[in-house]
Amino acid sequence: MDLTGVLLRAAAARPRVLLAVPPGATGARLAVERELRRRSWPVAASPADADVLAVCGAPGPAMTAAVRRVWGQLPAPRAWARVPTTSDAASALDRAQHGVSEGGSALPGGDEGADDNDSDLPGGLGMAERAPDRDGLALDQLHLPLGPVLPDWPAGLLLRLRVQGDVVQHAEAEHLDGGAAAAAAYWDRPWWRAAEGAPVSTAEAARRLVARQLDSLCRLLAVAGWDGAATTGRRLRDETLAGAAGSHLAPRLWRFHRRVAGSRLLRWMTRGLGRLDSAGAAGFGFSPPPGQADSDVVDRTRWWLERISLAVGLLDDERPLADRMDSADVLARPPQGGPAGTALARLARLVEGTELAATRLVVASVDPDLDRSTVDVGVGGG
Amino acid sequence: MPGYLALGLLAALVLAGAGTGYVVSALVRCAREPLVAGPYLSGMPAQEHAVSRFHVRWYAVTLVFLAFDMEMIFMYPWAVVVASLGTSAVVEMFVFLAILLLGVGYAGREGALRWT
């Protein structure tokens, strides 16, 4: 009966895509997001919501296990798209769209089959154990990982939570394996190329800086629920990276800056969350505002917006970057390593005692760049 | 129309509606069996069954609601007759409300209504 075919083709017109981003895959992720925005395909929030699983970059062993598990949770019709480099995005998405219209394809190597069930317990899982609560009660505690394959989540971060109800009792942060060269940090490339002697212009570095702050900011806005501003910011990010003229970009960047900075609702929603002292903030590359000992989510949002505003004037500046590398301005050389194990541990402690929404906001406001770490800290679970 | 005929018609309509759903689903489905999948934990395996109780903060708020719900039951008949009874009735009801609020205030000060 061709009713199925008609519906499959209708579904394949705009399939929903779930992104799996291992560390070191920032360039591929940006290419996929740009393609999705160009085709106006929606981004899925969970595997049940998704038709296509897009795996960017080259996942390591722990990430591959996570991706396989997520693949097993996608209902038919489903297809997967492998995007190892930025140039593969369009063709991979086309193949995936064709796969969905055909009724779905399989991951080579077979799916994750259904687990053997213990006949007594559903799914072979026991009931939740009890643990002491903040009030001296003993309540059920669940292990909830905020892990690799999660929309708007920093790549390579695995946050294992123990939650009671929706309040986090205990958190542990881990850095999952990269697979590809973890030292090829996408956002810092202009500075490393300039350090090696290649001719890099200020414009290129400024564009990458602006795009990086916009990326982090839009993730926070998406987590906070402000999808309109997040989409506008991502469009600005893609145009900045694509090389649009600075005179064309600057007024739109300023308008975006005013819109986000002036939002009272966003400030009220995030005030007082995730207070990091100056040492903790320095571990993630922030500095608290002058005259303040610590910074919360509002301060970090403002810090990103300020860096964008400082770099807007430099988007067309063709002078060599090497002249500005050692100065104290916005285009100074970025720090060498990524957030150390202690910084991630501090992030985990910051999150304990908050509820899940606040946890996601705090992690999105810090947005650790784990691609910078040249040493694999910790081993991925799973 | 006679009772049993109406009942039978309604039953037939309900069965037709539900049956249409099943028939259309069987005609257009892509896979024969529904997907057996674990919960979405960002790609990590589940370690226990997710059945668990809400955090205790919700129970405290629920009890406060229940107390004031029972108080509202007293307020409904009072609202009907208060106009004819006069000031003393108003004063009595507000004394009752004040006693309840004292209890909530005590609980709040003791930290029972703490959110996180």
Side-chain angles (χ1 to χ4, degrees):
Chain A
M1 180 131 190
D2 206 33
L3 193 55
T4 317
V6 166
L7 287 173
L8 276 176
R9 278 192 292 280
R14 288 178 70 222
R16 305 177 80 93
V17 178
L18 181 68
L19 292 172
V21 187
T26 315
R29 168 177 68 87
L30 292 175
V32 172
E33 284 187 3
R34 194 171 55 236
E35 270 302 311
L36 293 180
R37 210 178 33 74
R38 194 178 64 82
R39 299 163 187 229
S40 52
W41 287 5
V43 177
S46 69
D49 191 21
D51 298 320
V52 173
L53 179 62
V55 183
C56 309
M63 187 77 189
T64 309
V67 165
R68 277 187 181 278
R69 211 168 273 119
V70 168
W71 173 254
Q73 292 168 356
L74 256 80
R78 61 183 175 176
W80 73 302
R82 224 165 58 85
V83 187
T85 58
T86 57
S87 46
D88 297 321
S91 52
L93 289 177
D94 285 332
R95 273 197 306 270
Q97 185 178 33
H98 183 72
V100 169
S101 68
E102 296 284 297
S105 56
L107 195 77
D111 301 340
E112 182 88 354
D115 297 332
D116 280 334
N117 290 343
D118 188 338
S119 57
D120 288 344
L121 305 167
L125 299 169
M127 300 299 282
E129 293 293 322
R130 302 223 171 81
D133 184 23
R134 63 151 201 229
D135 299 310
L137 306 167
L139 289 183
D140 318 307
Q141 214 175 45
L142 297 181
H143 292 87
L144 179 70
L146 289 181
V149 187
L150 191 61
D152 298 319
W153 185 256
L157 179 66
L158 170 60
L159 201 62
R160 290 183 192 273
L161 304 175
R162 286 209 302 260
V163 292
Q164 250 162 9
D166 46 351
V167 174
V168 176
Q169 300 289 98
H170 179 80
E172 276 162 23
E174 274 175 40
H175 174 195
L176 280 188
D177 48 24
Y186 179 81
W187 297 118
D188 298 338
R189 229 169 264 157
W191 285 270
W192 303 141
R193 282 181 32 228
E196 285 164 13
V200 175
S201 62
T202 311
E204 192 186 332
R207 276 166 192 271
R208 207 153 277 217
L209 180 85
V210 167
R212 195 249 172 104
Q213 310 299 6
L214 281 173
D215 189 45
S216 305
L217 190 59
C218 290
R219 261 200 209 152
L220 175 67
L221 293 174
V223 167
W226 196 0
D227 290 319
T231 313
T232 310
R234 283 178 175 144
R235 187 178 301 135
L236 285 171
R237 172 199 70 190
D238 293 339
E239 289 184 16
T240 307
L241 283 174
S247 53
H248 179 58
L249 282 173
R252 294 164 64 203
L253 281 170
W254 279 114
R255 207 176 320 136
F256 179 73
H257 181 293
R258 269 199 307 277
R259 191 176 164 202
V260 175
S263 167
R264 277 204 211 109
L265 186 58
L266 185 68
R267 273 203 302 273
W268 172 73
M269 197 170 132
T270 51
R271 188 171 13 239
L273 282 181
R275 282 198 178 279
L276 269 179
D277 59 2
S278 50
F284 289 108
F286 293 93
S287 45
Q292 250 177 275
D294 48 11
S295 60
D296 62 358
V297 173
V298 175
D299 296 321
R300 290 194 280 274
T301 311
R302 218 174 273 155
W303 197 80
W304 283 334
L305 287 168
E306 204 182 285
R307 290 191 33 112
I308 293 175
S309 63
L310 285 174
V312 161
L314 302 170
L315 290 178
D316 280 332
D317 191 336
E318 287 301 327
R319 282 173 299 180
L321 177 62
D323 299 340
R324 306 181 74 112
M325 283 269 269
D326 295 322
S327 57
D329 77 0
V330 65
L331 290 182
R333 186 201 304 258
Q336 181 93 23
T342 51
L344 288 180
R346 206 178 272 120
L347 177 64
R349 275 202 300 283
L350 199 61
V351 145
E352 282 173 11
T354 58
E355 44 183 8
L356 286 175
T359 303
R360 290 262 354 226
L361 282 171
V362 167
V363 173
S365 79
V366 168
D367 203 26
D369 189 2
L370 294 169
D371 290 353
R372 276 185 184 153
S373 304
T374 51
V375 175
D376 284 343
V377 177
V379 169
Chain B
M1 105 186 3
Y4 286 119
L5 185 59
L7 202 60
L9 212 59
L10 184 62
L13 217 64
V14 165
L15 286 174
T20 308
Y22 278 105
V23 164
V24 170
S25 152
L27 287 175
V28 303
R29 65 173 59 146
C30 295
R32 297 192 52 85
E33 293 290 325
L35 181 70
V36 175
Y40 171 48
L41 293 173
S42 318
M44 291 286 132
Q47 287 177 267
E48 66 268 304
H49 204 278
V51 163
S52 62
R53 281 169 285 187
F54 292 96
H55 194 266
V56 73
R57 62 192 186 163
W58 301 104
Y59 291 100
V61 170
T62 307
L63 284 175
V64 170
F65 158 74
L66 209 56
F68 282 92
D69 203 32
M70 293 300 109
E71 173 262 329
M72 270 170 59
I73 286 178
F74 287 106
M75 280 191 95
Y76 282 125
W78 168 83
V80 171
V81 298
V82 68
S84 51
L85 284 179
T87 318
S88 63
V90 175
V91 169
E92 283 163 13
M93 177 50 79
F94 276 87
V95 166
F96 175 43
L97 267 176
I99 292 173
L100 285 181
L101 284 170
L102 267 176
V104 174
Y106 168 71
R109 276 198 47 184
E110 290 292 307
L113 300 175
R114 198 177 112 204
W115 201 232
T116 35

